[in-house]
Amino acid sequence: MITTQDILNTAIETIQSESASIAHLQHFINEDFAQAVELIYQSKGRLVVSGIGKSAIIAQKIVATLNSTGTPSVFLHASEAIHGDLGMVQQNDVIVCISKSGNSPEIKVLIQILKNFGNPIIAITGNMDSFLSKESDLVINTTVEKESCPNNLAPTNSTTAQLVMGDALAVCLMKKRDFKGEDFAKYHPGGTLGKRMSLRVSDFLDDSKKPQVSPDCSVKKAIMEISEKRLGVTAVIENEKILGIITDGDIRRMLNRTDDFIALQAKDIMSVNPKTVQSNTMAIEALEILEQYAITQLVVADNGKYLGIIHLHDLLKEGIV
């Protein structure tokens, strides 16, 4: 009978086994790996990544990673390739073929055809004596001692090794291309990630919600401005320059001090030196400032000129986090 502890032990053993296989990959980073990175980087075509079975699934993930990090790539299933899909391979493309054994019938047929095409071939394989290894221009070794599978059959450690080596290629290519956060944002315009990388403070500004009062206006008018613009704050402005802000908290503190505020003016209760950001600041950076100081609003100003208010709720509503 398999107990709960048996299950936990098996899970831990699997993680430890795969971790050891990944750690051992560092010994396979050699001149062929460096030349593969350079070949892909210098290519005027795309990277065509192929495999079959579980390796085909890994190939698709590697393609997705490469595309999102600036290396144009396409997936070619080794089985479908010889039934018409070879038409996607272009003259300047570089081929990466992934196979643990390197001796699958489909792989053998595909490699022979691609060699006739003249495209350079990079093998990612766990068998350095295989047909794939011997027929490829460059070989990236992903040999593992064993699979985590109790029968040493189901691809586990081997597919993890393929995936990690694909990630290593992608990261090296990112460094070669000097691929930065703003480049990443171009390929991820949607979803939370895209918004975190692309939205700026200026994208949240709305002139119709730009609370401001003069320093000599009445407290009553300041309260009305805060209520109307519904941002919990108003800026105190003179000659388009920020003198301070009045928040809901400033109003509460004033009421704790006095019951007679009729004669008070905005400048009498405002907080000076408010936290500000420029309009070109990334929205995620603005969010980090709000969290750092435990506040809900930031004044937006360029060269001291007041542009508006950015509120924590706007960032959350947009899905920045």
Side-chain angles (χ1 to χ4, degrees), residues 207-278:
D207 280 340
S208 67
K209 295 181 179 180
K210 184 181 175 182
Q212 63 183 75
V213 294
S214 63
D216 56 357
C217 83
S218 67
V219 168
K220 179 180 178 181
K221 183 176 180 180
I223 294 173
M224 292 175 62
E225 181 72 357
I226 293 173
S227 299
E228 181 183 339
K229 301 301 169 55
R230 304 181 67 177
L231 292 174
V233 64
T234 183
V236 181
I237 305 297
E238 188 171 51
N239 298 323
E240 297 187 335
K241 300 296 181 182
I242 304 164
L243 301 182
I245 59 170
I246 301 173
T247 66
D248 290 336
D250 291 318
I251 300 297
R252 288 192 297 271
R253 284 186 287 273
M254 176 200 69
L255 293 174
N256 284 332
R257 291 194 304 266
T258 180
D259 291 328
D260 184 12
F261 58 84
I262 299 300
L264 293 178
Q265 297 179 325
K267 63 185 177 184
D268 298 322
I269 67 168
M270 70 181 184
S271 297
V272 296
N273 300 319
K275 300 298 179 187
T276 64
V277 291
Q278 294 184 338

Side-chain angles (χ1 to χ4, degrees), residues 22-79:
I22 292 171
H24 192 68
L25 291 179
Q26 63 185 305
H27 301 296
F28 302 146
I29 300 299
N30 55 18
E31 187 63 27
D32 267 25
F33 182 91
Q35 289 182 23
V37 172
E38 194 65 37
L39 177 64
I40 297 167
Y41 176 70
Q42 297 291 345
S43 171
K44 291 180 170 52
R46 305 158 304 166
L47 188 65
V48 178
V49 187
S50 185
I52 193 167
K54 305 297 188 296
S55 296
I57 298 172
I58 297 300
Q60 291 178 70
K61 189 276 175 185
I62 292 173
V63 164
T65 299
L66 290 165
N67 277 326
S68 70
T69 53
T71 300
S73 306
V74 294
F75 168 67
L76 174 65
H77 196 284
S79 178

Side-chain angles (χ1 to χ4, degrees), residues 2-302:
I2 303 297
T3 66
T4 298
Q5 191 58 51
D6 290 332
I7 293 172
L8 297 178
N9 289 340
T10 299
I12 291 170
E13 289 168 5
T14 301
I15 293 170
Q16 290 175 340
S17 176
E18 295 210 15
S19 177
S21 295
I22 292 171
H24 192 68
L25 291 179
Q26 63 185 305
H27 301 296
F28 302 146
I29 300 299
N30 55 18
E31 187 63 27
D32 267 25
F33 182 91
Q35 289 182 23
V37 172
E38 194 65 37
L39 177 64
I40 297 167
Y41 176 70
Q42 297 291 345
S43 171
K44 291 180 170 52
R46 305 158 304 166
L47 188 65
V48 178
V49 187
S50 185
I52 193 167
K54 305 297 188 296
S55 296
I57 298 172
I58 297 300
Q60 291 178 70
K61 189 276 175 185
I62 292 173
V63 164
T65 299
L66 290 165
N67 277 326
S68 70
T69 53
T71 300
S73 306
V74 294
F75 168 67
L76 174 65
H77 196 284
S79 178
E80 298 300 325
I82 57 179
H83 294 285
D85 282 1
L86 270 172
M88 73 170 62
V89 179
Q90 300 176 5
Q91 182 178 359
N92 293 318
D93 291 345
V94 173
I95 311 297
V96 169
C97 192
I98 306 174
S99 173
K100 178 188 175 182
S101 72
N103 287 319
S104 302
E106 296 88 351
I107 294 295
K108 288 183 175 181
V109 173
L110 176 62
I111 293 303
Q112 288 174 329
I113 295 172
L114 291 173
K115 285 180 70 70
N116 290 333
F117 282 8
N119 297 81
I121 301 171
I122 302 168
I124 297 180
T125 181
N127 184 357
M128 299 302 286
D129 294 321
S130 64
F131 178 87
L132 174 61
S133 180
K134 292 176 180 178
E135 295 297 318
S136 297
D137 299 289
L138 298 168
V139 182
I140 296 175
N141 190 350
T142 54
T143 300
V144 298
E145 183 179 347
K146 63 178 182 178
E147 303 286 4
S148 294
C149 165
N151 302 311
N152 195 30
L153 293 174
T156 47
N157 295 36
S158 59
T159 47
T160 301
Q162 293 168 353
L163 184 62
V164 170
M165 203 62 92
D167 285 342
L169 281 173
V171 173
C172 289
L173 286 163
M174 287 176 70
K175 290 200 171 185
K176 286 284 290 183
R177 300 182 193 284
D178 193 24
F179 198 84
K180 300 185 183 302
E182 50 268 32
D183 300 311
F184 197 81
K186 289 191 300 185
Y187 300 106
H188 298 78
T192 299
L193 182 59
K195 291 175 181 178
R196 287 170 63 93
M197 298 300 296
S198 61
L199 288 179
R200 298 183 182 274
V201 167
S202 57
D203 296 316
F204 294 85
L205 295 180
D206 183 350
D207 280 340
S208 67
K209 295 181 179 180
K210 184 181 175 182
Q212 63 183 75
V213 294
S214 63
D216 56 357
C217 83
S218 67
V219 168
K220 179 180 178 181
K221 183 176 180 180
I223 294 173
M224 292 175 62
E225 181 72 357
I226 293 173
S227 299
E228 181 183 339
K229 301 301 169 55
R230 304 181 67 177
L231 292 174
V233 64
T234 183
V236 181
I237 305 297
E238 188 171 51
N239 298 323
E240 297 187 335
K241 300 296 181 182
I242 304 164
L243 301 182
I245 59 170
I246 301 173
T247 66
D248 290 336
D250 291 318
I251 300 297
R252 288 192 297 271
R253 284 186 287 273
M254 176 200 69
L255 293 174
N256 284 332
R257 291 194 304 266
T258 180
D259 291 328
D260 184 12
F261 58 84
I262 299 300
L264 293 178
Q265 297 179 325
K267 63 185 177 184
D268 298 322
I269 67 168
M270 70 181 184
S271 297
V272 296
N273 300 319
K275 300 298 179 187
T276 64
V277 291
Q278 294 184 338
S279 62
N280 64 351
T281 302
M282 299 301 297
I284 188 62
E285 293 179 30
L287 178 62
E288 289 169 355
I289 296 172
L290 292 170
E291 291 177 339
Q292 178 183 353
Y293 293 100
I295 55 179
T296 56
Q297 310 100 343
L298 283 171
V299 175
V300 183
D302 287 347

